[in-house]
């Protein structure tokens, strides 16, 4: 290629003139309006510039405002150049704001002057918010949409609140009714103790088997489809055990507890095998997302069972009904799992594990369950305490703590009941997000 000598001219913006601006539109430019008005603003006190392009339907706004983590200076200067091929001359001029403007869509005809970007929507300020939401949903970038969603979650709408007087009246009515019926604080606390969000239990029980009865935890309708014979055979045949390990059809806790099926009466072995099979199913449920969709008919439940390796097509809808909230939706069913439902599922796993190990879990067993359910040691300890277990730290610290857990294993006179082992309820309100 032939070399050419060119002349370079550098221009500076004169007083009263605005340097050329460079911008890009991450959401696309809807209908370029030749008559669109472009306005530039500059605030010398905080070194901020803003460009506004006003069109017939949508306005676009770009600003040089930087987050605190970024430096306030640029290591180089940006310039716009125009090359005149005929005259072999390049004219260069610094760009406005020394930055490429990211133009975001905004409501049409907003005021961007000295009013701090506040627009007057009259008395109905909600109309402006709704319009802004619709605009962002249509044209906004993913980051802006997430920001709008976070802002929406913190908004307080007056029409959705009751007045303080109405709330005081409601509290007074409840208090008055309790006084008329002669209900004391101790009675209320006793009722709350008996109605905890736990697996089926009997607060007056004095042994683990009576506290969380196996027949109520795992009803006959579940047992008929659980593959107990596979586990019993694997306990005495290493080849079958190795095949189960490779198949990944059972959790590692279940495979490692096959040794508990080598001794005991036929009934005890059968019960422990049912517990292990049920734990395997519960573990697959635990790995499922907190929100899943499926067809509401039998075929839909079979497809769901196949996708997430659940055992027993006939009981999948029963398990989903216990640990998920079912929401019918346009020919489909949406299953959503709340935090309370997930906590209940984890407690089912721990109770079944207690049945397998005669209601005393060693550190190795608890560590395996904790890792499979992705629990922190402190969270696991709280779950076990809520079940009424006596939890003892035996080694480690921080994220490497190890515990033992026993249920009604300590002898006393008179014998302790499950209700005696529950942590005491605190009726006082919690402070802050993380509680007291």
């Amino acid at each position: 290629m032939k070399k050419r000598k060119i002349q370079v001219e550098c221009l500076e913006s004169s007083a009263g003139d605005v340097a050329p601006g460079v911008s890009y539109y991450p959401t696309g430019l809807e209908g370029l309006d030749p008559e669109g008005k472009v306005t530039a603003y500059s605030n010398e006190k905080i070194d901020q510039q803003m460009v506004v392009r006003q069109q017939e339907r949508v306005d676009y706004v770009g600003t040089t405002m930087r987050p605190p983590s970024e430096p306030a200076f640029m290591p180089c200067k940006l310039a716009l150049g125009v090359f005149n091929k005929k005259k072999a001359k390049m004219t260069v001029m610094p760009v406005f704001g020394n930055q490429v403007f990211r133009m975001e869509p905004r409501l049409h005809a907003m005021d961007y002057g000295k009013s701090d970007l506040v627009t007057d929507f009259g008395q109905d300020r909600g109309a402006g918010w709704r319009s802004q939401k619709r605009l962002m949903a249509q044209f906004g970038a993913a980051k802006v949409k997430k920001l709008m969603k976070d802002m929406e979650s913190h908004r307080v709408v007056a029409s959705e609140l009751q007045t303080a007087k109405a709330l005081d009246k409601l509290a007074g009515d409840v208090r008055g009714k309790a006084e008329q019926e002669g209900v004391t604080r101790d009675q209320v606390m006793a009722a709350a103790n008996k109605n905890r969000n736990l697996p089926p239990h009997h607060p007056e029980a004095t042994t683990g088997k009576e506290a969380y009865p196996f027949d109520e935890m795992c009803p006959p309708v579940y047992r008929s489809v659980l593959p107990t014979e596979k586990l019993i055979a694997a306990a005495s045949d290493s080849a079958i055990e190795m095949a189960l390990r490779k198949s990944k059809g059972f959790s590692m806790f279940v495979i490692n507890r096959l040794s508990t099926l080598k001794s005991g009466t036929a009934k005890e072995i059968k019960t422990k095998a049912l517990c292990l099979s049920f734990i395997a199913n519960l573990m697959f449920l635990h790995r499922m997302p907190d929100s899943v969709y499926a067809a509401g008919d039998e075929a839909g439940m079979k497809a769901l069972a196949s996708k997430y390796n659940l055992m027993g097509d006939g009981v999948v809808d029963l398990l989903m009904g216990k640990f998920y909230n079912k929401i019918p939706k346009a020919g489909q069913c949406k299953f959503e799992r709340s935090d309370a439902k997930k906590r209940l599922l984890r407690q089912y796993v721990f109770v079944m594990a207690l049945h397998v190990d005669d209601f005393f879990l060693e550190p190795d067993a608890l560590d395996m369950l904790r890792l499979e359910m992705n629990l922190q040691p402190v969270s696991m300890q709280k779950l076990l305490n809520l079940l009424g277990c006596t939890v003892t730290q035996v080694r480690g610290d921080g994220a490497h703590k190890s515990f033992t857990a026993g249920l009604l294993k300590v002898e006393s006179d008179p014998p302790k009941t499950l209700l005696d082992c529950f942590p005491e309820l605190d009726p006082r309100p919690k402070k802050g997000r993380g509680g007291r």
Side-chain angles (χ1 to χ4, degrees):
M1 184 180 290
K2 206 173 182 181
K3 290 184 178 180
R4 298 181 61 184
K5 289 185 178 181
I6 65 171
Q7 182 184 357
V8 178
E9 182 184 11
C10 296
L11 301 178
E12 295 289 340
S13 58
S14 58
D17 293 333
V18 178
V22 180
S23 61
Y24 72 100
Y25 298 80
T27 59
L29 182 59
E30 189 202 48
L32 182 61
D33 185 2
E35 298 181 0
K37 180 183 176 184
V38 179
T39 311
Y41 299 92
S42 182
N43 189 331
E44 296 178 359
K45 289 183 179 180
I46 58 174
D47 188 24
Q48 179 188 354
Q49 290 78 34
M50 182 168 62
V51 175
V52 180
R53 182 186 184 89
Q54 292 180 312
Q55 302 202 133
E56 184 179 356
R57 294 174 58 192
V58 181
D59 295 347
Y60 293 89
V61 179
T63 176
T64 59
M65 183 180 290
R66 302 178 179 88
S69 59
E70 292 186 10
F73 64 92
M74 288 283 285
C76 62
K77 281 195 173 184
L78 302 180
L80 184 67
V82 178
F83 178 59
N84 189 324
K85 189 175 181 181
K86 202 171 186 180
K87 295 182 179 180
K89 182 178 180 181
M90 171 75 78
T91 304
V92 179
M93 189 173 188
V95 301
F96 179 65
N98 196 33
Q99 187 172 332
V100 178
F101 290 87
R102 175 190 172 99
M103 305 296 284
E104 295 284 356
R106 293 291 184 269
L107 278 175
H108 177 59
M110 290 181 70
D111 180 12
Y112 298 98
K114 297 182 179 180
S115 57
D116 296 329
L117 310 186
V118 175
T119 304
D120 183 13
F121 287 102
Q123 295 297 318
D124 187 7
R125 290 190 172 273
W129 175 261
R130 291 190 294 272
S131 299
Q132 188 79 336
K133 273 183 64 180
R134 286 195 298 270
L135 188 67
M136 288 300 106
Q138 186 70 26
F139 302 105
K143 186 176 181 181
V144 180
K145 289 179 183 178
K146 184 179 182 302
L147 180 62
M148 291 285 288
K149 186 177 179 181
D150 293 341
M151 291 172 64
E152 177 72 13
S153 65
H154 293 93
R155 289 182 74 236
V156 178
V157 183
S159 60
E160 296 177 2
L161 295 177
Q162 296 186 20
T163 63
K165 186 180 290 186
L167 289 173
D168 288 342
K169 183 179 184 301
L170 179 63
D173 290 344
V174 173
R175 186 167 55 249
K177 185 177 179 181
E179 289 175 354
Q180 287 178 3
E181 295 176 355
V183 179
T184 64
R185 179 182 181 278
D186 291 339
Q187 289 173 318
V188 172
M189 295 299 292
N193 268 315
K194 290 183 180 180
N195 293 283
R196 293 171 182 249
N197 183 31
L198 295 173
H201 62 287
H202 297 275
E204 70 284 353
T206 56
T207 65
K209 284 185 178 180
E210 295 172 350
Y212 294 95
F214 174 74
D215 289 339
E216 295 179 26
M217 293 285 297
C218 184
V221 66
Y222 294 149
R223 298 178 220 166
S224 60
V225 296
L226 294 175
T228 55
E229 300 303 326
K230 280 186 183 179
L231 295 179
I232 294 174
S236 56
D237 191 325
S238 59
I240 299 176
E241 179 186 341
M242 187 59 65
L244 289 182
R245 285 182 184 273
K246 291 181 179 179
S247 69
K248 297 182 180 180
F250 294 89
S251 74
M252 291 308 298
F253 172 81
V254 172
I255 299 296
N256 282 281
R257 303 311 293 157
L258 289 176
S259 58
T260 60
L261 305 180
K262 293 181 179 179
S263 60
T265 65
K267 184 178 179 182
E268 289 173 345
I269 291 174
K270 177 74 171 177
T271 300
K272 289 183 179 181
L274 284 168
C275 289
L276 289 172
S277 298
F278 196 33
I279 288 173
N281 236 4
L282 294 174
M283 284 297 193
F284 283 124
L285 269 175
H286 188 271
R287 293 172 195 163
M288 287 173 59
D290 290 335
S291 180
V292 293
Y293 289 85
D297 55 8
E298 186 178 347
M301 291 296 103
K302 284 186 177 181
L304 192 69
S306 175
K307 183 176 181 180
Y308 294 104
N309 297 321
L310 299 176
M311 305 170 192
D313 298 339
V315 298
V316 173
D317 53 341
L318 297 176
L319 287 172
M320 295 296 289
K322 183 180 289 292
F323 300 111
Y324 280 82
N325 296 315
K326 185 176 179 181
I327 307 170
K329 205 168 188 180
Q332 279 191 323
C333 283
K334 182 181 180 182
F335 294 93
E336 285 191 345
R337 180 167 58 195
S338 63
D339 290 342
K341 292 278 188 181
K342 195 163 190 174
R343 183 168 60 248
L344 180 65
L345 173 59
R346 288 168 171 166
Q347 288 173 331
Y348 258 83
V349 172
F350 282 123
V351 172
M352 286 287 104
L354 285 165
H355 273 279
V356 172
D357 283 326
D358 297 323
F359 297 92
F360 188 84
L361 292 171
E362 296 287 350
D364 292 343
L366 281 176
D367 286 344
M368 201 169 297
L369 287 171
R370 178 178 67 79
L371 292 173
E372 286 204 55
M373 290 192 285
N374 196 26
L375 282 170
Q376 293 295 324
V378 175
S379 300
M380 181 185 71
Q381 186 180 9
K382 287 181 179 178
L383 283 173
L384 291 166
N385 284 333
L386 289 172
L387 290 169
C389 292
T390 301
V391 183
T392 306
Q393 183 179 341
V394 292
R395 61 174 181 261
D397 56 10
H400 305 286
K401 290 180 181 178
S402 291
F403 304 91
T404 60
L407 181 66
L408 294 171
K409 299 294 284 186
V410 180
E411 294 184 2
S412 61
D413 188 24
K416 275 191 173 183
T417 65
L418 180 62
L419 183 60
D420 296 331
C421 298
F422 282 150
E424 186 178 351
L425 293 175
D426 189 350
R428 293 175 295 178
K430 292 183 179 180
K431 296 181 181 180
R433 291 184 62 185
R436 290 184 305 107

